[in-house]
Amino acid sequence: MKKLRLVVVATLPLCAGLLAQGQTSRPAPDVYGELRWRYVGPEGNRISAVAGVSGDPLVYYAGSASGGIAKTTDGGVHWLQIFDDQPVQSIGSLAVAPSDPNIVWAGTGEAWIRSHISIGEGIYKSTDAGKTWTRMGLEKTGRIGRVIVDPTNPQIVLACALGTAYGPQPERGVFRTADGGATWQRTLFADENTGC
């Protein structure tokens, strides 16, 4: 894992720092006018997906169109690449389970259609906050643009699959798992020309 320099625009470190210090009162409204945007990372690619940990303003994951996933645990001061060992680096979506912050899902394949987009290899899951990853299926979907985890049951997940960007394909639509990714059922499918 390598550290990255800071380059994404945000004021997260200031807000996260105040929360981490236990400050519960709100600043006066004129204080917000003094805030200035600054780059906080990660550097090197188009960010296509971001997810944070509910209740922890310092932990964020950022997925890149063709640069994997980076994680910060200090509100954006430092970033570590945590997906480099995987065979795919195009990230279309990220989700952290609201009921268990150790469970992180990554839908691969850039979902923003443009003249050149990277294809994915299914959906990945980490059960140790991004230290290790396991591919959990949906390899033929091409691009997964959204992942939603049930707020109370981290075994229930929905994946929104765009599919092939420029032609018909049957592996697209909304997929659902109720067993943490061991099996998937397609729960919404319009036709082979309509992705989610």
Side-chain angles (χ1 to χ4, degrees), residues 27 58 82 92 140 148 151 193:
L58 300 177
I82 61 170
K140 293 183 179 179
I148 299 173
N193 296 306

Side-chain angles (χ1 to χ4, degrees), residues 27-51:
D30 60 332
V31 171
Y32 293 110
E34 299 300 316
L35 293 176
R36 299 292 176 253
W37 290 97
R38 68 184 180 89
Y39 292 109
V40 296
E43 162 184 289
N45 206 295
R46 291 186 319 277
I47 300 300
S48 52
V50 177

Side-chain angles (χ1 to χ4, degrees), residues 14 79 86 97 110 120 151 177 180:
L14 171 65
W79 292 86
Q86 303 312 313
E110 182 181 5
T177 181

Side-chain angles (χ1 to χ4, degrees), residues 92-195:
S93 55
L94 292 170
V96 178
S99 60
D100 185 347
N102 289 312
I103 298 176
V104 183
W105 288 87
T108 64
E110 182 181 5
W112 302 105
I113 303 223
R114 17 183 312 132
S115 60
H116 59 316
I117 55 177
S118 300
I119 196 160
E121 289 188 9
I123 192 165
Y124 286 73
K125 175 177 150 182
S126 174
T127 57
D128 54 13
K131 292 184 182 105
T132 60
W133 296 88
T134 304
R135 186 165 45 200
M136 301 303 296
L138 304 181
E139 290 90 342
K140 293 183 179 179
T141 59
R143 293 159 186 86
I144 298 173
R146 184 81 189 267
V147 176
I148 299 173
V149 184
D150 184 281
T152 59
N153 184 349
Q155 297 297 308
I156 299 173
V157 178
L158 296 171
C160 170
L162 175 65
T164 301
Y166 302 110
Q169 173 188 4
E171 297 85 11
R172 55 184 6 153
V174 177
F175 292 83
R176 180 182 186 270
T177 181
D179 54 17
T183 61
W184 293 89
Q185 294 80 41
R186 187 171 57 189
T187 59
L188 179 63
F189 177 72
D191 59 51
E192 64 181 12
N193 296 306
T194 307

